[in-house]
Amino acid sequence: MPTASQRILLEFFQNDLQFTPTAGQVDRFERDLHLVSPYLMHAALKEAAAKRALVGRSFDDQRAAILTIYYRKVAEHAQLFPVFHTFETAFRSTVAVELETHYGRAAWWKPVRDALMRGDQARTVAHIYGVHLAKDTAHLVGRIIYSIEGEQFQRPQLATVVDGYAFCELCDLSHIGDLVAKHWSHFSTRYFQGGLPMTLTEFTAKFRTVREARNDIYHHKSVARMKNVVTSAEELLDRLGCSLHFAYSKVTTTRVTPPSFQATPAAAHHNLF
């Protein structure tokens, strides 16, 4: 039975490049595949084939061309880090502040957690410190608590969490978007009604676009329509009073000391051209 990397390589070659490689060519690329993302390599192969960048070239030149495209894609991913960092931190902090304000307590989720620890369902909590709590919102908060701590509270992290900042840092990014959606009347009034009002449906779609791209890139997958990702992030951040252009330019133009490397490139490094 072929190894996982051999199987993936044969699919790459036969489906994307339309030729059957020799055993030596498979071996050469198999060593590469141990070191790279198969998703980005697949995207690089498809791009190379579409541009006919491999036609009439030797195998070594083909490999160099493919790896050049691959590392360009890595660079494209890297340049989006300031976008996702700005987006994620701004929304986590905004949600932390606004929900503390809305419920009038720093640890506003505590009544729901207390109910769950008693064995009650989250939906039984109708008020948080006197503020009405809809059943579906209570269910969401309970689901987030279980996600953080486990349904048997085997990871009791919230026992020592005292404010919304720390709570939101423990949330998945999807939870942050859901918390905005479930408190839409609050967030809409404060952030999404000025100028051309944004609907909940529009917010949810744009937030999902950024979140899914962020997840794909953090898992080294190729992302289509990157421009749409940046546009969606910029539109949502603008509503929070945050300029993505300013934040991005500050991050990318600041001089920093690059990392130092001890091992010089050598023949034993298979990812060299």
Side-chain angles (χ1 to χ4, degrees), residues 7-67:
R7 184 184 70 253
I8 291 171
L9 279 172
L10 288 172
E11 292 174 358
F12 284 172
F13 279 114
Q14 294 170 353
N15 295 338
D16 297 318
L17 301 182
Q18 285 82 48
F19 80 90
T20 301
T22 67
Q25 290 169 335
V26 170
D27 179 67
R28 189 79 180 275
F29 263 115
E30 185 178 18
R31 285 180 290 170
D32 291 331
L33 205 61
H34 287 191
L35 305 173
V36 301
S37 162
Y39 306 107
L40 285 188
M41 178 61 80
H42 186 208
L45 280 166
K46 290 186 70 173
E47 182 176 324
K51 291 182 176 179
R52 299 182 61 79
L54 310 180
V55 176
R57 304 176 72 169
S58 69
F59 178 78
D60 284 345
D61 284 347
Q62 290 178 339
R63 177 174 172 272
I66 291 167
L67 288 175

Side-chain angles (χ1 to χ4, degrees), residues 8 18 43 51 56 92 94 112 127 149 159 170 184 194 214 216 222 226 239 252-253:
I8 291 171
Q18 285 82 48
K51 291 182 176 179
R92 287 183 187 275
T94 297
V112 178
H127 297 85
E149 299 196 291
L170 292 172
W184 184 246
R214 170 255 199 198
D216 283 345
S222 188
M226 284 190 183
R239 298 297 182 128
T252 56
T253 60

Side-chain angles (χ1 to χ4, degrees), residues 30 36 86 111 115 123 142 149 154 180-181 187 232-234 240 254 261:
E30 185 178 18
V36 301
T86 303
R123 293 177 184 272
E149 299 196 291
Q154 60 267 37
V180 174
F187 284 95
S232 295
E234 186 172 27
L240 302 189
T254 299
F261 305 99

Side-chain angles (χ1 to χ4, degrees), residues 213-233:
R214 170 255 199 198
N215 290 346
D216 283 345
I217 284 183
Y218 284 4
H219 289 92
H220 318 301
K221 296 180 180 180
S222 188
V223 175
R225 301 181 298 279
M226 284 190 183
K227 183 178 180 180
N228 187 42
V229 172
V230 174
T231 299
S232 295

Side-chain angles (χ1 to χ4, degrees), residues 171-193:
C171 290
D172 294 340
L173 186 56
S174 62
H175 295 152
I176 298 299
D178 290 341
L179 285 169
V180 174
K182 292 302 183 186
H183 297 85
W184 184 246
S185 61
H186 177 88
F187 284 95
S188 176
T189 299
R190 295 181 68 84
Y191 297 105
F192 297 99
Q193 289 302 306

Side-chain angles (χ1 to χ4, degrees), residues 53-82:
L54 310 180
V55 176
R57 304 176 72 169
S58 69
F59 178 78
D60 284 345
D61 284 347
Q62 290 178 339
R63 177 174 172 272
I66 291 167
L67 288 175
T68 295
I69 295 172
Y70 175 88
Y71 284 113
R72 192 206 75 227
K73 290 183 177 295
V74 174
E76 289 172 348
H77 280 198
Q79 72 176 354
L80 285 174
F81 174 79

Side-chain angles (χ1 to χ4, degrees), residues 138-160:
H139 177 70
L140 169 65
V141 175
R143 184 160 54 84
I144 293 172
I145 291 169
Y146 278 149
S147 176
I148 294 170
E149 299 196 291
E151 294 194 11
Q152 302 301 320
F153 295 95
Q154 60 267 37
R155 302 183 303 273
Q157 301 179 72
L158 292 175
T160 57

Side-chain angles (χ1 to χ4, degrees), residues 124-135:
T124 63
V125 181
H127 297 85
I128 290 182
Y129 302 112
V131 179
H132 173 71
L133 186 67
K135 288 186 177 181

